[in-house]
């Protein structure tokens, strides 16, 4: 497996780019790349040549997360302005504005069936679930304090929720927190199941394997990438190689590789079977906030975005 640089777009946004995801293809168009920036905009790009299709405005502070519905017809952007804006990908019409208290939105992801949008609730130490048919808030999953925590930490900011990931069957939701713990929920019963431990610094990004439903990957400020059996509560492997915070992780559609982005300014490709980095890409001049593999069925692609305002696109084979 390897990455080959296809194209880099300098100054793709006016400020740092903190978020990227792929919008699945529909009957009328191919897949698109969606990016969100601290310049308060969301941009849609035609992949391969990185031609800008559309710029979406509507937020009054920086965009920290973007998510695409499995249908490819609509997407969402979350901002430091405490709003999640849901919009039609092809027309840019606003479908919903989801409001949360100050600083209560961080990363978010649609469930595999597209019926629920899960939004990490930041300082509220919870994850909010929104019904995508009505855009009503249907559940709030509160993150419990790990047993080992000191009483003085009970209400501390360490429970701040940064990241979320759905299992491939949509039955489980994992959430990463500032204190390094990962919480796993049974969504159907709105029930906390257990913590996954091993990190001691913020867990910035989570991704389940699309081919091994129990396998969960985490990226942390401790410079490690962990691989968990999320059902068995066991740490299966710890991978190191980055020299600084690991800010993002994504799993390839075939489940054989993961990609990570780090504040050491690199993108790394890891062989899951070997549990080792097999390639390091140094396209960016600043920390890499987002990595995202292209959808299954399309050409093998990986995109990365950075504080340097650029997007890099790679061929993955």
């Amino acid at each position: 497996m390897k990455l080959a640089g296809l194209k880099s777009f300098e100054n793709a946004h006016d400020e740092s780019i903190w978020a990227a995801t792929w919008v699945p293809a529909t009957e009328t168009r191919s897949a698109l790349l969606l990016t969100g920036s601290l310049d308060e905009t969301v941009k849609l790009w035609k992949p391969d040549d990185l031609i800008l299709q559309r710029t979406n405005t509507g937020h009054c502070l920086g965009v920290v997360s973007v998510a695409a519905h499995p249908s490819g017809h609509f997407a969402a952007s979350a901002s430091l302005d405490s709003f999640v804006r849901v919009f039609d990908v092809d027309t840019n019409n606003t479908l919903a504005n989801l409001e949360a208290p100050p600083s209560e939105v961080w990363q978010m992801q649609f469930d595999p069936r597209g019926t629920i949008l899960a939004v990490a609730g930041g300082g509220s130490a919870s994850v909010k679930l929104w019904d995508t048919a009505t855009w009503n808030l249907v559940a709030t999953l509160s993150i419990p304090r790990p047993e080992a925590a000191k009483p003085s930490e009970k209400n501390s900011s360490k429970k701040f929720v940064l990241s979320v990931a759905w299992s491939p069957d949509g039955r489980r939701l994992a959430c990463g927190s500032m204190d390094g713990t990962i919480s796993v929920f049974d969504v159907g019963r709105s029930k906390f199941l257990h913590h996954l431990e091993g990190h001691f610094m913020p867990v910035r990004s989570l991704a389940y394997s699309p081919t091994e439903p129990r396998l969960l990957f985490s990226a942390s400020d401790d410079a490690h990438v962990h691989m968990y059996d999320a059902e068995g509560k066991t740490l299966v492997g710890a991978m190191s190689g980055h020299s600084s915070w690991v800010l993002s992780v994504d799993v390839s559609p075939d489940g054989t590789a993961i990609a990570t982005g780090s504040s050491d300014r690199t993108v790394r490709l890891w062989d899951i079977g070997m549990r080792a980095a097999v390639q390091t890409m140094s396209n960016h001049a600043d920390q890499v906030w987002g990595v995202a593999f292209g959808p299954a069925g399309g050409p093998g692609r990986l995109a990365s975005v950075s504080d340097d305002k650029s997007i890099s696109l790679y061929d993955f084979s």
Side-chain angles (χ1 to χ4, degrees), residues 84-162:
V84 174
R85 177 176 177 259
V86 185
F87 58 94
D88 183 294
V89 169
D90 297 311
T91 66
N92 193 29
N93 290 338
T94 299
L95 303 176
N97 274 310
L98 313 178
E99 187 179 3
S103 182
E104 301 303 316
V105 291
W106 209 248
Q107 282 186 10
M108 57 185 177
Q109 191 177 43
F110 288 96
D111 77 308
R113 290 184 302 148
T115 57
I116 297 173
L117 176 64
V119 181
S124 68
S126 66
V127 176
K128 292 179 166 55
L129 304 182
W130 302 83
D131 183 308
T132 60
T134 61
W135 297 113
N136 291 328
L137 182 66
V138 289
T140 299
L141 307 177
S142 295
I143 310 296
R145 184 168 57 100
E147 284 77 33
K150 303 180 187 73
S152 62
E153 294 177 352
K154 192 167 185 177
N155 297 311
S156 76
S157 62
K158 292 187 175 182
K159 285 170 68 180
F160 193 104
V161 186
L162 292 165

Side-chain angles (χ1 to χ4, degrees), residues 77-300:
S77 54
S79 164
L80 294 170
D81 64 12
S82 306
F83 280 93
V84 174
R85 177 176 177 259
V86 185
F87 58 94
D88 183 294
V89 169
D90 297 311
T91 66
N92 193 29
N93 290 338
T94 299
L95 303 176
N97 274 310
L98 313 178
E99 187 179 3
S103 182
E104 301 303 316
V105 291
W106 209 248
Q107 282 186 10
M108 57 185 177
Q109 191 177 43
F110 288 96
D111 77 308
R113 290 184 302 148
T115 57
I116 297 173
L117 176 64
V119 181
S124 68
S126 66
V127 176
K128 292 179 166 55
L129 304 182
W130 302 83
D131 183 308
T132 60
T134 61
W135 297 113
N136 291 328
L137 182 66
V138 289
T140 299
L141 307 177
S142 295
I143 310 296
R145 184 168 57 100
E147 284 77 33
K150 303 180 187 73
S152 62
E153 294 177 352
K154 192 167 185 177
N155 297 311
S156 76
S157 62
K158 292 187 175 182
K159 285 170 68 180
F160 193 104
V161 186
L162 292 165
S163 49
V164 292
W166 288 94
S167 64
D169 60 10
R171 293 173 53 231
R172 300 281 187 265
L173 185 71
C175 325
S177 297
M178 196 75 92
D179 64 359
T181 58
I182 299 165
S183 307
V184 180
F185 289 88
D186 177 323
V187 178
R189 295 187 294 157
S190 295
K191 185 177 190 304
F192 168 76
L193 296 176
H194 49 257
H195 288 295
L196 301 173
E197 296 177 347
H199 289 299
F200 298 96
M201 294 178 74
V203 177
R204 303 245 174 209
S205 182
L206 294 167
Y208 272 93
S209 167
T211 57
E212 297 285 341
R214 295 169 65 113
L215 215 53
L216 176 70
F217 296 89
S218 58
S220 169
D221 284 8
D222 61 17
H224 285 81
V225 180
H226 282 178
M227 180 166 63
Y228 292 95
D229 176 342
E231 295 291 305
K233 299 189 282 186
T234 51
L235 178 62
V236 180
M239 295 175 278
S240 58
H242 283 294
S243 60
S244 187
W245 302 357
V246 190
L247 301 172
S248 50
V249 61
D250 197 23
V251 189
S252 63
D254 63 5
T256 63
I258 61 169
T260 53
S262 167
S263 58
D264 67 11
R265 306 179 179 187
T266 68
V267 171
R268 286 183 182 243
L269 182 70
W270 309 74
D271 183 309
I272 292 174
M274 293 166 54
R275 297 183 196 174
V278 292
Q279 198 172 1
T280 301
M281 306 297 281
S282 303
N283 296 38
H284 292 291
D286 210 333
Q287 48 191 11
V288 181
W289 276 103
V291 290
F293 279 102

Side-chain angles (χ1 to χ4, degrees), residues 4-84:
L6 284 178
K7 189 175 179 70
S8 284
F9 194 110
E10 306 295 324
N11 297 310
H13 282 266
D14 293 336
E15 299 284 346
S16 301
I17 310 174
W18 275 18
T21 194
W22 292 79
V23 181
T26 64
E27 292 174 2
T28 56
R29 60 152 173 80
S30 57
L32 297 170
L33 180 66
L34 181 65
T35 57
S37 165
L38 295 191
D39 67 9
E40 304 172 9
T41 69
V42 173
K43 295 188 176 186
L44 284 151
W45 306 85
K46 202 171 172 183
D48 288 355
D49 40 19
L50 288 180
I51 293 175
L52 181 63
Q53 297 288 284
R54 197 171 296 108
T55 299
N56 297 354
T57 58
H59 289 294
C60 58
L61 285 172
V63 176
V64 295
S65 181
V66 288
H69 190 267
S71 70
H73 290 297
F74 58 93
S77 54
S79 164
L80 294 170
D81 64 12
S82 306
F83 280 93
V84 174

